[in-house]
Amino acid sequence: MGKIPPSFRSAISNPFLRRPSSLVPAEASQSTVTSSAKPHYLPKKISNKKPSQVSGKVKETQNSDSSKTAKALTIFKSPSLTDAKNVFNSMIKSSKMLNDPRFYNTILQSYTSISTVNDSVAFLHHMKKTSPSFSPDRSTYHILLSHSCKTPDSSLAPVHQALNLMVSNGINPDKATTDIAVRSLCSVGRLEHAIELCKELSLKHSVPDTYTFNFLVKQLCKSSALSTVYNFIDEMRTSFNIKPDLVTYTILIDNVCNTKNLREALRLVSVLSEEGFKPDCFVYNTIMKGYCMLSRGSEAIDIYNKMKEEGVEPDLVTYNTLIFGLSKAGRVKEAKKFVGIMAEMGHFPDEVTYTSLMNGMCREGNALGALALLEEMEVKGCNPNSCTYNTLLHGLCKSRLLEKAIELYGVMKSGGLKLETASYATLVRTLCRDGRIAEAYEVFDYAVESKSLTDVTAYSTLESTLKWLKKVKEQSPTI
Amino acid sequence: MLPQRLKKTITDNPKKLANLIDLVNLPSTLREFVGQSQISRLGCFMRVWSYIKTNNLQDPNNKNVVKCDEKLKSILLGKSQVELAELPELIKLHFPKAPK
């Protein structure tokens, strides 16, 4: 319980990449864009599956001629080049869309997705030869480029091959090219290659735009030491005159806050002010989150007051962060006060707010009060999420209200909600302590069935709990 | 308390994890029960537990107790009844620590 609950995490993750550009491969940008809005614990993949550049085009074509493109999508059954050529030849005989470049791009994309880079290039040549009206455009080469980036390879050779093909056909790589290459490389975990390529493209063609740059910074933050990130930023600044913007600083601040390095976070805030930026709501929320994770409620309130002073309007995330932090620091009374304030400001408490409050109340040992809050939120039309239930379950077990906990577990089970590691472990332990081993086994079964935890985690918890129980019994037979 | 500590043990201790999920060549008694020659300790536990469930071997009056049938007896030290609580330990007996 010392950490931020998952539902909460998604609520405060920063919406750094706010550009749903059609040129950006969907999976890279969409996840970050959508995560900003709201915590979502139920079907979370709905918005993630935004059609990417090419499949978006497929859709358009589908509207005009659905039967044909539907065929095109599944038409290549084998990666064999000869087969693909034959299929293509028979297609152009029957198709009426020979002047639409999107038609060819769709076909190429479809073939590329199951084939190798070399075969795809050969196939592109074949398309050009057999169908003179087709002239490959930028997106045609981007398809090949993206594919070459995703091919596992120890060098950038296939990527260079795709880029050279593009240049030799008179299309110079631009910002979008860089962006696609960088994101594709990162999507398969080739961050170092992405950086290498980004620098190379900056030298030869065009510098990355801020979105690509910030994307790289964010990826770097995830995997490298802070000094590496700073070096990269410095290098880009001195070599290519790319300056970090407010989003870059927010990424950096978020990163240092997550490693609990608040001193560095404050230094970054002063740097960004020196650079002429004014901290916005996201920056403040991020720093506040840093304090809250360390249970430093007073500092979190200070940030809130500072926002007010600077005229930055706190948003729902600000209040939720603050209420979470205060609850975590055991200052539930103040947290409740802020629930009132946020309502006055027109932000209605959501499941995150309630869950944070419950968390605080459970920490105080007031699990029954937290349970009452569950009813209250449901009456107010706010749906509890799995994190809410897990928090309560944990709290009830800790307060030794086993019957209530079992009841709640029943509700979770009937709703198919997942158990979190902490609440699972606490429930199993409480049941075992009460001598209800069979029920603990049943919870274990549910945790495995519902895929809440991996088999290993679920079993290790059960095993070590039983071991612990045996030890306790040996020491005092009357527990 | 326990959860965090446990998490740490698992992530800090790959050997412990390996000991749980590595496939092990089985002694003949266990081989008969499981029906295959190799299984991990975790897999074995799952197999035994699901065997108990499908054959309704839990004592209806006290679910914490398992009444062993002949087949189960053969792998659980010949006991006619075992506590659910000692099941992991009994199974662990078949998986001796690898000599180092």
Short mmCIF file of all heavy atoms in Angstrom, two decimals, chain A residues 18-42:
data_model
loop_
_atom_site.label_atom_id
_atom_site.label_comp_id
_atom_site.label_asym_id
_atom_site.label_seq_id
_atom_site.Cartn_x
_atom_site.Cartn_y
_atom_site.Cartn_z
N ARG A 18 1.02 15.07 -27.05
CA ARG A 18 -0.37 15.42 -27.27
C ARG A 18 -0.71 15.51 -28.75
O ARG A 18 -1.65 16.13 -29.14
CB ARG A 18 -0.69 16.74 -26.58
CG ARG A 18 -0.93 16.54 -25.10
CD ARG A 18 -0.95 17.86 -24.39
NE ARG A 18 0.21 17.99 -23.53
CZ ARG A 18 0.50 19.09 -22.86
NH1 ARG A 18 -0.26 20.14 -22.95
NH2 ARG A 18 1.56 19.14 -22.10
N ARG A 19 0.12 14.95 -29.57
CA ARG A 19 -0.16 15.10 -30.98
C ARG A 19 -0.60 13.77 -31.58
O ARG A 19 0.20 12.89 -31.80
CB ARG A 19 1.10 15.54 -31.72
CG ARG A 19 0.83 15.70 -33.20
CD ARG A 19 2.09 16.03 -33.93
NE ARG A 19 3.08 14.97 -33.81
CZ ARG A 19 4.13 14.87 -34.60
NH1 ARG A 19 4.35 15.76 -35.51
NH2 ARG A 19 4.99 13.90 -34.44
N PRO A 20 -1.86 13.65 -31.85
CA PRO A 20 -2.30 12.43 -32.48
C PRO A 20 -2.07 12.51 -33.98
O PRO A 20 -2.99 12.45 -34.78
CB PRO A 20 -3.78 12.36 -32.15
CG PRO A 20 -4.17 13.77 -31.84
CD PRO A 20 -2.94 14.59 -31.62
N SER A 21 -0.84 12.68 -34.37
CA SER A 21 -0.55 12.89 -35.78
C SER A 21 -0.80 11.63 -36.58
O SER A 21 -0.58 10.52 -36.12
CB SER A 21 0.92 13.28 -35.92
OG SER A 21 1.36 12.97 -37.20
N SER A 22 -1.22 11.83 -37.78
CA SER A 22 -1.49 10.67 -38.62
C SER A 22 -0.20 9.99 -39.03
O SER A 22 -0.19 8.88 -39.50
CB SER A 22 -2.26 11.09 -39.85
OG SER A 22 -1.44 11.93 -40.62
N LEU A 23 0.89 10.71 -38.85
CA LEU A 23 2.16 10.14 -39.31
C LEU A 23 2.84 9.32 -38.23
O LEU A 23 3.81 8.64 -38.48
CB LEU A 23 3.10 11.27 -39.74
CG LEU A 23 2.70 11.90 -41.07
CD1 LEU A 23 3.46 13.17 -41.29
CD2 LEU A 23 2.95 10.92 -42.20
N VAL A 24 2.31 9.42 -37.03
CA VAL A 24 2.93 8.71 -35.93
C VAL A 24 2.33 7.33 -35.83
O VAL A 24 1.11 7.20 -35.83
CB VAL A 24 2.68 9.47 -34.62
CG1 VAL A 24 3.22 8.69 -33.45
CG2 VAL A 24 3.31 10.84 -34.70
N PRO A 25 3.16 6.31 -35.77
CA PRO A 25 2.60 4.97 -35.59
C PRO A 25 1.69 4.96 -34.37
O PRO A 25 2.06 5.46 -33.31
CB PRO A 25 3.84 4.11 -35.36
CG PRO A 25 4.96 4.88 -35.94
CD PRO A 25 4.60 6.32 -35.86
N ALA A 26 0.53 4.41 -34.56
CA ALA A 26 -0.51 4.58 -33.55
C ALA A 26 -0.12 4.13 -32.17
O ALA A 26 -0.30 4.85 -31.21
CB ALA A 26 -1.74 3.82 -34.00
N GLU A 27 0.46 2.95 -32.06
CA GLU A 27 0.66 2.41 -30.72
C GLU A 27 1.59 3.29 -29.88
O GLU A 27 1.46 3.37 -28.68
CB GLU A 27 1.18 0.97 -30.78
CG GLU A 27 2.54 0.78 -31.44
CD GLU A 27 2.46 0.74 -32.95
OE1 GLU A 27 1.36 1.04 -33.49
OE2 GLU A 27 3.47 0.44 -33.58
N ALA A 28 2.49 4.00 -30.57
CA ALA A 28 3.42 4.81 -29.80
C ALA A 28 2.75 6.03 -29.21
O ALA A 28 2.92 6.34 -28.03
CB ALA A 28 4.57 5.24 -30.69
N SER A 29 1.97 6.71 -30.01
CA SER A 29 1.42 7.96 -29.50
C SER A 29 0.13 7.75 -28.73
O SER A 29 -0.10 8.39 -27.72
CB SER A 29 1.16 8.91 -30.66
OG SER A 29 0.11 8.41 -31.45
N GLN A 30 -0.68 6.82 -29.17
CA GLN A 30 -2.01 6.74 -28.58
C GLN A 30 -1.99 6.42 -27.10
O GLN A 30 -2.72 6.98 -26.33
CB GLN A 30 -2.86 5.70 -29.31
CG GLN A 30 -3.37 6.21 -30.64
CD GLN A 30 -4.10 7.51 -30.51
OE1 GLN A 30 -4.87 7.70 -29.57
NE2 GLN A 30 -3.85 8.44 -31.40
N SER A 31 -1.12 5.50 -26.73
CA SER A 31 -1.16 5.08 -25.33
C SER A 31 -0.87 6.27 -24.41
O SER A 31 -1.49 6.42 -23.38
CB SER A 31 -0.16 3.97 -25.09
OG SER A 31 1.11 4.43 -25.49
N THR A 32 0.05 7.11 -24.84
CA THR A 32 0.38 8.23 -23.97
C THR A 32 -0.72 9.27 -24.00
O THR A 32 -1.01 9.90 -23.01
CB THR A 32 1.70 8.88 -24.38
OG1 THR A 32 1.88 8.68 -25.77
CG2 THR A 32 2.84 8.29 -23.61
N VAL A 33 -1.33 9.43 -25.16
CA VAL A 33 -2.38 10.44 -25.26
C VAL A 33 -3.57 10.06 -24.41
O VAL A 33 -4.09 10.84 -23.63
CB VAL A 33 -2.81 10.63 -26.72
CG1 VAL A 33 -4.01 11.54 -26.79
CG2 VAL A 33 -1.67 11.20 -27.52
N THR A 34 -3.98 8.81 -24.54
CA THR A 34 -5.21 8.44 -23.85
C THR A 34 -5.01 8.31 -22.35
O THR A 34 -5.94 8.48 -21.60
CB THR A 34 -5.74 7.10 -24.38
OG1 THR A 34 -4.65 6.20 -24.40
CG2 THR A 34 -6.33 7.26 -25.75
N SER A 35 -3.80 8.03 -21.93
CA SER A 35 -3.62 7.79 -20.51
C SER A 35 -3.83 9.06 -19.69
O SER A 35 -4.00 9.02 -18.50
CB SER A 35 -2.23 7.24 -20.25
OG SER A 35 -1.29 8.25 -20.52
N SER A 36 -3.81 10.19 -20.35
CA SER A 36 -3.91 11.43 -19.60
C SER A 36 -5.31 11.62 -19.05
O SER A 36 -5.49 12.17 -17.98
CB SER A 36 -3.56 12.60 -20.51
OG SER A 36 -4.55 12.70 -21.51
N ALA A 37 -6.28 11.16 -19.77
CA ALA A 37 -7.63 11.58 -19.48
C ALA A 37 -8.15 11.09 -18.13
O ALA A 37 -8.45 11.88 -17.25
CB ALA A 37 -8.56 11.11 -20.58
N LYS A 38 -8.20 9.82 -17.95
CA LYS A 38 -8.94 9.29 -16.82
C LYS A 38 -8.38 7.94 -16.45
O LYS A 38 -7.86 7.25 -17.30
CB LYS A 38 -10.41 9.10 -17.25
CG LYS A 38 -11.40 10.02 -16.57
CD LYS A 38 -12.79 9.69 -17.03
CE LYS A 38 -13.45 8.80 -16.03
NZ LYS A 38 -14.74 8.33 -16.43
N PRO A 39 -8.50 7.57 -15.21
CA PRO A 39 -8.11 6.20 -14.92
C PRO A 39 -9.14 5.26 -15.53
O PRO A 39 -10.33 5.57 -15.51
CB PRO A 39 -8.17 6.14 -13.39
CG PRO A 39 -9.09 7.24 -13.01
CD PRO A 39 -8.98 8.29 -14.06
N HIS A 40 -8.67 4.20 -16.10
CA HIS A 40 -9.63 3.27 -16.67
C HIS A 40 -9.19 1.89 -16.27
O HIS A 40 -8.07 1.48 -16.52
CB HIS A 40 -9.69 3.38 -18.18
CG HIS A 40 -8.39 3.77 -18.79
ND1 HIS A 40 -7.29 2.97 -18.73
CD2 HIS A 40 -8.02 4.90 -19.43
CE1 HIS A 40 -6.29 3.58 -19.32
NE2 HIS A 40 -6.69 4.74 -19.76
N TYR A 41 -10.05 1.19 -15.61
CA TYR A 41 -9.63 -0.14 -15.21
C TYR A 41 -10.32 -1.19 -16.03
O TYR A 41 -9.88 -2.31 -16.14
CB TYR A 41 -9.91 -0.37 -13.72
CG TYR A 41 -11.34 -0.69 -13.41
CD1 TYR A 41 -11.72 -2.00 -13.21
CD2 TYR A 41 -12.29 0.31 -13.33
CE1 TYR A 41 -13.03 -2.31 -12.93
CE2 TYR A 41 -13.59 0.01 -13.05
CZ TYR A 41 -13.96 -1.30 -12.85
OH TYR A 41 -15.24 -1.59 -12.58
N LEU A 42 -11.42 -0.82 -16.64
CA LEU A 42 -12.14 -1.80 -17.44
C LEU A 42 -11.53 -1.86 -18.83
O LEU A 42 -10.42 -1.45 -19.00
CB LEU A 42 -13.64 -1.47 -17.42
CG LEU A 42 -14.29 -2.06 -16.16
CD1 LEU A 42 -15.75 -1.71 -16.09
CD2 LEU A 42 -14.11 -3.57 -16.09
#
